[in-house]
Each structure stands twice: as structure tokens, then as C-alpha cells.
């Protein structure tokens, strides 16, 4: 562990072993004192997969698991996969492939079912789902919400958290209630790309200083992320892999020691059941 004396987790980023920086990005994170990663599979179409049945998603999940294993070898801590179906897929299915929203719903839900097998059997620690963050028809919106509810049901069944990609919001209480109706505690629902405050799920806060300061001062559980996309066609998109460690150093310099403990020790334990200190080399 670095001189910062804390594990450092990036809760949501992507790695592309074929077209992107891949393990080079992980090495940047590790050199900056980062210790743990939750690596979310890239959208299926970014990996050249256009699924027709749920089993087709295995190619996406298996490639993600392979790069996560390589990432863990670089880190003082561990990397874990988060697997699921990007909610934007529904637009590709409906708009580009002409599927009915109900058929798209069923295909995406089948992908979530397959992803949950990877949690039940070992390597993955969470599911990924959500709904479009842009305007869609009522039928597509309803279908997307149904897929998200499936993710909550599967998360409850295999005892794991669910990361969500949704519209920007500081109040997703209704969504958290859907999770609880499915048997998944609301704290195990994580809104990716969150602002500094959020009602309902646990926020995974984009690591910008203003958002982090709000989260730190709230006194509530939160996580930190970059949403690094690892896309050579978008080299400046979102935040780079060094950002979370640098922001942790900044938070500590500002006296937010308790917030760092929340984001990198107690909240990962609460949400995912992960012991970050215990999975550090030499722990």
C-alpha cells in the first residue's frame, strides 16, 4: 500500500484489450497508487457482438473476465468484473434491427440472466443494467424498466449488487423501491456517473472535485469512479485512469479522511461485500 495508507478503488471503468490502452491504463492507475478496480464490460457492440440470444453475450463477458485477470496481476489489490447489458442496446435493437420493444426486452433480460451465472459461479461481483439516459418512446422506456427489474431480481437471487446506467438524477427513490420489491436492498443498487448527492441508491460519484466535495460533506456512503471508456476514437472522453488516486490524495489534503474511508473501505464492503484492505498484497 502507498504512503496514503488506504486502498483506492475505481468503482466503474472499462478496459478494451484489443483497441484501447488495456493493461497500460491499469499500470497508470497502479503507479498513481490505485489498488482495486471494478471493470464493467464494454457495450456488446463495441466488442463486435450483435446478440440474437442471451448466450451470445458470453463472448463479451469472457473477454472482460480475461482482461480483469490480467489487471489483477498488475495491482497491489484486485480487479473484479461487473457484467451485464448496456441499456443503450435497446435502441440498437429497436431502431437499427427493427425489433419490437418487447422482443428487445426479452433478449436483454436473457443477457442479464447469463451475466448472473458468472456471479453465482465465481468471477463477477455485480451486475450492470439500467435504462436510457436520452429520450425514448414509452414502449422502449417500459421495456428498459422491465430489464432493470430483471437485474434486481437476479441480483437478489445470486446475492450481488447492481450497477445502473440511467438518466442524470439526484432522486432515484422509485428505482430503489423496485429493487427492494425484488428482494435487493437499496444500498446494493449503485448509480454509476452520479452527482455528489443522491436519494435512493448508493452513488458512484464521478471523480470531479465539486461532486466529491458534496459527497464528502454529506456524511453518507458513496463510491468513486472515472468511467474511463478506453476508446481510441474518444481519447479525451470522461476521466483518465489516474484520476481516482489523484482525487483521493486531494480529499486527504482537504481533511476528508472520513470520506476516503467511506468511499474505499466501508462502502465497498457494504455494497459488494468486498474487503479491500484484506485483498491488498501483504495484508
Amino acid at each position: 500500500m502507498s504512503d496514503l495508507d488506504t486502498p483506492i478503488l475505481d468503482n466503474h471503468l472499462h478496459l478494451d484489450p484489443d483497441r484501447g490502452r488495456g493493461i497500460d491504463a491499469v499500470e497508470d492507475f497502479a503507479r498513481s497508487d490505485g489498488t482495486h478496480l471494478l471493470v464493467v464490460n464494454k457495450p456488446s457492440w463495441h466488442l463486435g457482438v450483435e446478440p440474437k440470444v442471451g448466450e451470445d453475450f458470453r463472448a463479451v463477458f469472457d473477454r472482460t473476465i480475461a482482461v480483469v485477470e490480467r489487471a489483477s496481476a498488475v495491482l497491489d489489490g484486485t480487479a473484479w468484473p461487473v457484467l451485464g447489458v448496456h441499456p443503450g442496446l435497446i435502441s440498437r435493437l429497436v431502431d437499427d434491427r427493427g425489433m419490437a420493444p418487447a422482443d428487445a426486452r426479452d433478449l436483454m433480460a436473457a443477457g442479464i440472466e447469463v451475466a448472473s451465472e458468472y456471479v453465482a459461479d465465481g468471477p463477477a461481483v455485480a451486475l450492470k443494467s439500467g435504462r436510457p439516459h436520452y429520450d425514448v418512446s414509452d414502449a422502449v422506456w417500459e421495456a428498459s424498466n422491465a430489464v432493470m427489474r430483471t437485474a434486481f431480481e437476479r441480483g437478489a437471487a445470486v446475492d450481488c449488487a447492481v450497477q445502473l446506467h440511467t438518466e442524470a438524477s439526484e432522486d432515484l427513490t422509485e428505482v430503489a423501491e423496485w429493487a427492494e420489491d425484488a428482494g435487493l436492498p437499496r444500498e446494493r443498487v449503485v448509480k454509476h456517473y452520479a452527482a455528489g448527492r443522491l436519494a435512493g441508491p448508493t452513488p458512484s460519484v464521478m471523480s470531479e472535485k465539486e461532486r466529491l466535495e458534496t459527497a464528502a460533506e454529506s456524511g453518507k456512503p458513496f463510491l468513486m469512479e472515472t468511467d474511463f471508456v478506453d476508446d481510441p476514437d474518444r481519447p479525451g472522453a470522461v476521466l483518465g485512469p489516474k484520476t481516482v488516486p489523484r482525487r483521493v490524495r486531494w480529499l486527504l489534503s482537504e481533511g476528508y479522511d472520513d470520506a476516503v474511508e467511506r468511499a474505499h473501505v466501508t462502502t465497498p464492503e457494504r455494497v459488494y461485500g468486498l474487503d479491500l484492505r484484506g485483498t491488498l498484497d501483504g495484508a
Side-chain angles (χ1 to χ4, degrees):
M1 193 155 53
S2 76
D3 63 310
L4 298 181
D5 195 33
T6 180
I8 296 177
L9 168 71
D10 188 333
N11 181 68
H12 185 111
L13 88 166
H14 307 276
L15 296 173
D16 189 328
D18 301 321
R19 298 179 60 248
R21 298 193 61 222
I23 299 304
D24 287 345
V26 180
E27 290 175 344
D28 278 353
F29 175 74
R31 281 193 294 265
S32 301
D33 294 326
T35 60
H36 295 79
L37 295 172
L38 286 181
V39 181
V40 183
N41 64 260
K42 297 197 77 171
S44 49
W45 62 95
H46 286 193
L47 296 179
V49 175
E50 299 291 352
K52 296 181 180 178
V53 295
E55 288 294 313
D56 292 342
F57 287 96
R58 288 194 189 275
V60 176
F61 303 154
D62 289 343
R63 287 170 73 186
T64 303
I65 290 165
V67 75
V68 167
E69 289 174 351
R70 293 173 60 201
S72 283
V74 171
L75 298 170
D76 286 344
T78 305
W80 294 277
V82 176
L83 303 179
V85 179
H86 192 287
L89 177 61
I90 198 165
S91 296
R92 292 182 65 85
L93 297 175
V94 172
D95 298 341
D96 299 344
R97 288 170 51 181
M99 291 182 70
D103 292 335
R105 173 201 65 206
D106 292 346
L107 173 57
M108 294 172 68
I112 295 290
E113 293 273 354
V114 172
S116 71
E117 295 177 18
Y118 288 81
V119 177
D121 296 339
V125 297
L127 298 174
K128 184 258 182 75
S129 186
R131 61 192 183 191
H133 63 273
Y134 46 86
D135 291 338
V136 294
S137 69
D138 289 347
V140 167
W141 186 252
E142 291 169 7
S144 298
N145 282 328
V147 174
M148 185 164 53
R149 285 176 178 265
T150 295
F152 295 151
E153 291 165 3
R154 294 311 304 157
V158 299
D159 190 25
C160 77
V162 177
Q163 284 198 18
L164 297 181
H165 176 116
T166 74
E167 74 279 9
S169 176
E170 293 188 353
D171 188 352
L172 290 174
T173 303
E174 182 182 41
V175 169
E177 290 170 350
W178 292 348
E180 291 185 325
D181 289 344
L184 185 69
R186 66 176 56 201
E187 63 266 21
R188 304 201 78 186
V189 179
V190 178
K191 173 168 169 44
H192 135 70
Y193 213 112
R197 62 174 62 88
L198 178 66
T202 298
S204 181
V205 179
M206 280 296 289
S207 294
E208 299 161 347
K209 288 183 178 180
E210 184 175 352
R211 296 187 190 212
L212 290 174
E213 196 164 38
T214 299
E217 293 180 353
S218 74
K220 297 179 179 178
F222 74 102
L223 297 154
M224 291 173 61
E225 69 166 78
T226 58
D227 191 27
F228 175 64
V229 297
D230 202 12
D231 185 343
D233 296 331
R234 302 168 61 204
V238 205
L239 299 175
K242 300 178 183 178
T243 307
V244 167
R246 288 174 172 173
R247 293 293 186 261
V248 167
R249 196 173 287 277
W250 171 77
L251 284 166
L252 292 172
S253 73
E254 295 293 312
Y256 291 119
D257 299 54
D258 289 348
V260 169
E261 181 79 4
R262 263 183 283 137
H264 299 279
V265 178
T266 60
T267 305
E269 171 70 29
R270 181 180 191 229
V271 172
Y272 303 109
L274 297 176
D275 177 6
L276 266 57
R277 290 192 187 278
T279 51
L280 280 167
D281 287 348

